[in-house]
Each structure stands twice: as structure tokens, then as C-alpha cells.
């Protein structure tokens, strides 16, 4: 496989070579006194180039990795030092609604200079992440996110545990700064804002040194605004262990390509099979070409020989979705966007034609309605099972994310898919998901392509 890195930067601007401060790593549990959202100059582009102004937690992106043990309480105070309001969402954590961090639905946005106290006990082990949830299309796009890892009580048998956060940035090659045209109508009405600088943990050329025979746990998180990553590994024997934090009952051998839509995570166990002196890769596929998304430099051999397939990760509590017979049906038809044929829809309570909707910089509708409304898509009783048909009547893929609860896909033959919180739906597909409404509150349901979420693809579900 051909692996090369895409070069986007013009040679030029040179700045002082100040390496950025090592990322703070919070302790194994409990209290993180503050989480400060702030602007900062950050070495995003390769060293030798000017620093880029980002918005990040503690001024770095990804923000500090939060790692704790399942069943312990987490608490922190968000402090907003940005020049606009913000809030923090704990993506994929099945926690109480008041802590979900959605500005305008579960809390008021936190004004500049103000704070907000979050505290909750994550019930599930796995790979989650936290990110801004006010004007996310810009705040996440400028770097306000980090990993939230919940360790199993008994550590699984791996030699290393590595978090790889994938992102893409739209950088102006002249200035080295983030392109400020967030919310551009062309991005919104098509596949969203795609970056020209693809990174892992904010490095364009991310690498780790490993040994042959080592078993690594790779926790992949797609933090990009809109990009779907198509991934494969080279030089490893690998297994898929979990999707969106939730363990598979049987690890799946990793073969072929893997899609990772915005918001989604996957946990892999990979055994290094490459000989010392060579490289193994996490590669992304674009236009049939492989690019190194992360390079693993194999230096020496570990003592372990072939260990065979791993045992599954321990299940999380409450992974059942209840009974499908008698489940409450919900239908969600996605419409709009470029080449979509949507003629009119309801915006702010008024029926408008597509031109008026586009004038408001909106482009998408769910069941003929653009954006968040006072009434939910569905009201469900607590512990009711819902079965939702999702019809993608647009020309683009979408990554539908449900807050507060995980779902399973229901296939045509009645079999169920893995528990997930974000469904990647392609143009023209009709898919079905089912979930148990175990968590009371107002839960957002939206496309995690953040350009789409802000231009119509957001609704909510009320669990009472
Ligand atoms: Cu990760 Cu509502 O989002
Ligand atoms: Cu979308």
C-alpha cells in the first residue's frame, strides 16, 4: 500500500520553534477542578510554521484526556473564557439529562466569564468524548473537544492503550490560521465543512514507537465536523472490540475498511505483526489511495508471541433494548440539501419555500420541519421501547446521533446490530433503529455533521 502524507502548506512563514506544552493528563478519577475553555496560539501545523489560534480546553486541542474508572463520580467546573457562550456535552455517556450540556435544551449557554458545574457518574466503561455544544459547528471546528475514557474495573489484557482522535482542519495556507468561514452556505448544503489538513491528536504526521508482538488497544474518535473517515490497518492483526463505547459480545476480526462517521468511536485491539525496522499504519483511504493516519514505527520485538483472538470486553450494564413487539414506531424522513428536491418546509412555524429557507442559511428538514422546535419528534414513556425508521431522502450521508441512550440497528431479518450512539446513513437508505427509553429528559437527536446540524438536521425526543 502506498502511504504518503498530503502536503497542504506552502513553504513560508517561519516562527519561533516553541514546542507546545505536554497535554495535561488528569488523574484516574474524580474531580477535575476546572475545565477552562479559552483561545490560545497552538502548534497545530508542523513545527517551523506559525502557531494557529484555536479554541481549546486549557488552550490545547484535543483538550486534556479525562480518564476514570467505571462507577466513580466525575465532577468539574466549566469556566468560559471564550468571547461567546458555550457548554460541554459528554458524548455517549448515559448520564442524567441536566448534565448533558446542550445549550438551549438542557441548560442555558454559559456566558463569557461565567461557569457551570457538571457532575455525574458514568455507568459505562468505554471510549467517549466531550465537546462544546453551543454553536458546535464553529466551537468544535476550532478545537473544543477531548477524549473521555472510562476504564473497565478489570484492565483488559493489552500492552498499551492509545487514544487517537481524528480531525480535519480547514487552514488558510497563506496565514496558517483556521479559515473563518464557518457556516458557509455551500458547505452546509453539501457534505459539510471539510478540512485540508488531516490530523491525529492534532498532528499531521502522528507516530508511535511500538514493538513487534505487542497488543495495542486503539481508541479511535472522529472529532471532525463533517468528514467520514474510511480506515484500514496495515501490519497488524486486528479486532473490533467496541463501537461508540459499547463492547461487542464477540470481537470481530478487522478485515477490509471501516467507516468512522463524525461523533463515532471504535475500539480496536491490534497485534503488531510488522518486522522491526518497518512501519505499521492506521491508514485512511481517500480516492483509492492510502494515507498514513498514524504511523507505528516498529522498534524491536516484544516477548509475546501470537496470542490469538482476544476475549470480549466485559459488557456494560443495561445493554438490552427491551421488547420489539409492541415497540412505539417513529418515522424520520431526512430531506433537503443540494440535489435534494425539497421544495418547502416549516421554519420557525411558517411554511416556506426552499429559496426562503436557504436565505436563512438553512437547508435540511426532518419530516418537513427545519431545525429544533418546541415540540419533540416523539414523546416516550420511561422504559418504553421505540423503533425508528430513518429514511435518507437526500443526496448525502448523515451521521445521526442520539443523546442519552444507545440504540441497536434492526435489520430486515429481525436481527440486531451492536449498541451504538451514532448511525451512519447513506443516501437513499432506509434503516431502522430501536432503543429503550430508559433515561428521562429531553434528548437531542441530530446529524453529527455539524454543518448539517446547524442548518436544519436537529430534533429531540422527550422521555417522561
Ligand atoms: Cu457529540 Cu449533540 O453531540
Ligand atoms: Cu447530515
Amino acid at each position: 500500500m502506498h502511504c504518503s502524507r498530503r502536503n497542504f502548506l506552502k513553504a513560508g512563514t517561519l516562527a519561533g520553534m516553541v514546542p507546545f506544552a505536554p497535554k495535561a493528563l488528569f488523574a484516574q478519577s474524580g474531580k477535575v477542578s476546572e475545565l477552562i475553555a479559552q483561545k490560545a496560539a497552538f502548534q497545530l501545523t508542523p513545527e517551523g510554521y506559525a502557531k494557529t489560534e484555536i479554541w481549546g480546553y486549557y488552550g490545547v486541542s484535543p483538550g486534556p484526556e479525562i480518564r476514570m474508572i467505571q462507577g466513580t463520580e466525575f465532577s468539574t467546573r466549566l469556566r468560559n473564557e471564550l468571547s461567546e457562550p458555550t457548554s460541554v456535552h459528554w458524548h455517549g455517556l448515559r448520564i442524567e439529562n441536566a448534565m448533558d450540556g446542550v445549550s438551549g435544551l438542557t441548560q442555558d449557554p454559559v456566558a463569557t466569564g461565567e461557569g457551570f458545574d457538571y457532575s455525574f457518574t458514568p455507568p459505562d466503561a468505554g471510549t467517549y468524548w466531550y465537546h462544546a455544544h453551543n454553536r458546535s459547528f464553529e466551537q468544535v471546528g476550532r478545537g473544543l473537544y477531548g477524549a473521555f475514557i472510562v476504564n473497565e474495573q478489570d484492565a483488559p489484557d493489552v500492552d498499551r492503550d492509545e487514544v487517537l482522535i481524528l480531525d480535519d482542519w480547514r487552514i488558510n495556507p497563506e496565514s496558517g490560521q483556521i479559515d473563518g468561514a464557518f457556516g458557509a452556505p455551500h458547505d452546509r448544503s453539501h457534505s459539510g465543512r471539510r478540512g485540508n489538513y488531516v490530523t491525529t491528536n492534532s498532528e499531521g504526521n502522528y507516530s508511535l514507537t511500538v514493538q513487534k508482538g505487542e497488543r495495542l488497544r486503539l481508541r479511535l474518535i472522529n472529532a471532525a465536523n463533517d468528514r467520514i473517515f474510511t480506515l484500514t490497518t496495515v501490519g497488524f492483526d486486528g479486532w473490533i472490540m467496541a463501537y461508540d463505547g459499547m463492547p461487542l459480545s464477540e470481537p470481530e476480526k478487522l478485515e477490509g475498511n471501516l467507516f468512522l462517521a463524525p461523533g463515532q468511536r471504535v475500539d480496536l485491539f491490534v497485534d503488531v505483526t510488522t518486522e522491526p525496522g518497518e512501519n505499521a499504519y492506521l491508514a485512511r483511504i481517500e480516492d483509492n489511495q492510502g494515507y498514513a493516519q498514524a504511523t507505528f514505527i516498529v522498534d524491536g520485538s516484544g516477548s509475546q508471541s501470537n496470542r490469538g483472538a482476544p476475549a470480549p470486553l466485559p459488557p456494560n450494564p443495561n445493554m438490552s433494548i427491551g421488547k420489539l413487539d409492541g415497540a412505539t414506531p417513529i418515522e424520520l424522513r431526512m430531506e433537503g440539501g443540494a440535489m435534494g428536491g425539497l421544495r418547502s418546509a416549516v421554519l420557525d412555524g411558517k411554511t416556506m419555500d426552499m429559496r426562503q429557507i436557504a436565505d436563512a442559511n438553512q437547508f435540511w428538514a426532518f419530516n418537513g420541519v427545519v431545525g429544533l422546535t418546541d415540540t419533540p419528534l416523539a414523546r416516550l414513556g420511561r422504559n418504553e421501547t421505540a423503533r425508528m425508521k430513518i429514511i435518507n431522502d437526500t443526496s448525502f450521508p448523515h451521521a445521526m446521533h442520539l443523546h442519552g441512550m444507545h440504540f441497536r440497528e434492526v435489520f430486515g431479518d429481525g436481527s440486531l446490530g451492536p449498541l451504538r450512539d451514532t448511525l451512519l446513513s447513506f443516501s437513499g437508505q432506509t434503516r431502522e433503529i430501536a432503543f429503550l427509553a430508559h433515561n428521562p429528559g429531553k434528548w437531542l437527536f441530530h446529524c453529527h455533521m455539524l454543518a448539517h446540524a446547524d442548518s436544519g438536521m436537529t430534533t429531540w425526543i422527550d422521555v417522561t
Side-chain angles (χ1 to χ4, degrees):
M1 155 169 292
H2 169 90
C3 276
S4 66
R5 191 166 67 83
R6 189 172 272 184
N7 224 346
F8 81 96
L9 281 173
K10 279 179 41 165
T13 11
L14 203 60
M17 307 275 289
V18 190
F20 67 88
K23 289 165 195 132
L25 182 71
F26 288 131
Q28 283 287 315
S29 80
K31 195 159 165 66
V32 170
S33 56
E34 280 190 316
L35 193 59
I36 305 174
Q38 59 191 181
K39 289 184 193 180
F42 176 76
Q43 193 67 56
L44 177 63
T45 52
E47 272 189 36
Y49 293 94
K51 289 189 175 183
T52 302
E53 187 187 282
I54 60 132
W55 301 356
Y57 296 107
Y58 287 95
V60 296
S61 185
E65 178 180 303
I66 297 171
R67 197 181 267 264
M68 45 187 306
I69 293 185
Q70 186 176 17
T72 48
E73 196 194 9
F74 169 77
S75 65
T76 194
R77 180 168 181 80
L78 166 71
R79 184 139 66 87
N80 183 10
E81 291 186 357
L82 305 169
S83 51
E84 62 179 47
T86 192
S87 61
V88 187
H89 170 56
W90 316 92
H91 181 126
L93 293 173
R94 300 189 292 175
I95 55 177
E96 56 270 47
N97 193 245
M99 295 289 117
D100 199 44
V102 177
S103 288
L105 186 70
T106 67
Q107 68 169 89
D108 289 331
V110 179
T112 303
E114 302 288 302
F116 189 89
D117 292 312
Y118 293 98
S119 74
F120 49 82
T121 302
D124 302 311
T127 302
Y128 304 95
W129 62 303
Y130 63 98
H131 63 78
H133 216 302
N134 187 43
R135 301 187 65 255
S136 315
F137 66 98
E138 176 161 3
Q139 295 193 357
V140 174
R142 289 191 183 271
L144 283 163
Y145 60 77
F148 195 115
I149 307 299
V150 184
N151 283 344
E152 294 81 13
Q153 309 250 358
D154 297 311
D157 178 28
V158 293
D159 299 309
R160 315 229 329 227
D161 181 324
E162 300 287 346
V163 177
L164 304 180
I165 307 188
L166 316 186
D167 197 357
D168 64 347
W169 306 76
R170 194 181 287 178
I171 303 285
N172 177 330
E174 307 290 335
S175 64
Q177 299 304 310
I178 294 173
D179 176 322
F182 287 93
H186 187 274
D187 293 338
R188 290 184 162 216
S189 56
H190 291 74
S191 54
R193 176 180 162 109
R194 304 278 298 267
N196 54 356
Y197 181 48
V198 181
T199 57
T200 296
N201 298 341
S202 291
E203 290 181 34
N205 201 1
Y206 187 80
S207 68
L208 287 171
T209 301
V210 298
Q211 296 193 320
K212 184 179 178 196
E214 271 187 322
R215 174 165 284 178
L216 321 177
R217 179 180 191 161
L218 302 181
R219 301 173 181 268
L220 312 185
I221 301 172
N222 184 354
N225 278 37
D226 299 286
R227 175 184 295 256
I228 301 165
F229 283 87
T230 306
L231 300 168
T232 191
T233 57
V234 182
F236 293 109
D237 261 352
W239 290 268
I240 300 169
M241 303 301 293
Y243 286 115
D244 297 346
M246 296 296 176
L248 300 182
S249 51
E250 275 312 318
E252 251 172 59
K253 189 88 178 95
L254 181 58
E255 277 154 346
N257 296 342
L258 184 73
F259 291 118
L260 201 65
Q264 290 185 325
R265 288 89 62 216
V266 65
D267 283 55
L268 307 176
F269 280 10
V270 294
D271 294 350
V272 181
T273 56
T274 300
E275 292 304 321
E278 293 175 13
N279 293 338
Y281 296 96
L282 172 69
R284 76 171 183 283
I285 312 296
E286 267 178 64
D287 305 325
N288 288 319
Q289 271 223 333
Y291 296 88
Q293 185 66 37
T295 302
F296 298 83
I297 301 160
V298 183
D299 182 18
S301 287
S303 53
Q304 305 275 357
S305 53
N306 194 337
R307 321 182 199 204
L313 292 166
N316 279 323
N318 307 320
M319 292 181 66
S320 159
I321 56 163
K323 285 211 181 63
L324 284 183
D325 333 321
T328 306
I330 305 173
E331 191 167 290
L332 184 88
R333 180 177 293 272
M334 307 191 261
E335 293 174 293
M339 303 162 281
L342 178 65
R343 300 189 159 191
S344 68
V346 176
L347 172 61
D348 293 333
K350 291 181 277 278
T351 302
M352 298 189 187
D353 64 30
M354 199 55 217
R355 161 160 230 126
Q356 293 169 297
I357 294 168
D359 284 346
N361 208 13
Q362 300 292 301
F363 298 96
W364 308 91
F366 288 155
N367 298 342
V369 179
V370 180
L372 207 56
T373 51
D374 291 342
T375 44
L377 171 70
R379 274 187 218 283
L380 299 168
R382 189 161 183 198
N383 289 328
E384 196 169 321
T385 294
R387 187 169 173 161
M388 191 188 316
K389 193 184 270 188
I390 300 175
I391 304 150
N392 185 342
D393 196 2
T394 79
S395 298
F396 294 90
H398 301 286
M400 291 303 299
H401 171 49
L402 178 62
H403 284 219
M405 292 158 292
H406 278 58
F407 55 78
R408 292 182 190 273
E409 182 158 6
V410 184
F411 297 108
D413 63 359
S415 65
L416 297 175
L419 211 56
R420 301 206 70 145
D421 63 33
T422 305
L423 175 83
L424 175 57
S425 140
F426 290 98
S427 173
Q429 287 184 335
T430 294
R431 305 266 291 275
E432 225 184 331
I433 62 170
F435 62 95
L436 183 67
H438 61 81
N439 205 353
K442 299 176 172 181
W443 301 109
L444 217 55
F445 185 52
H446 64 93
C447 181
H448 218 288
M449 291 165 169
L450 301 173
H452 294 171
D454 198 63
S455 58
M457 299 195 111
T458 301
T459 185
W460 62 290
I461 286 169
D462 200 7
V463 180
T464 51

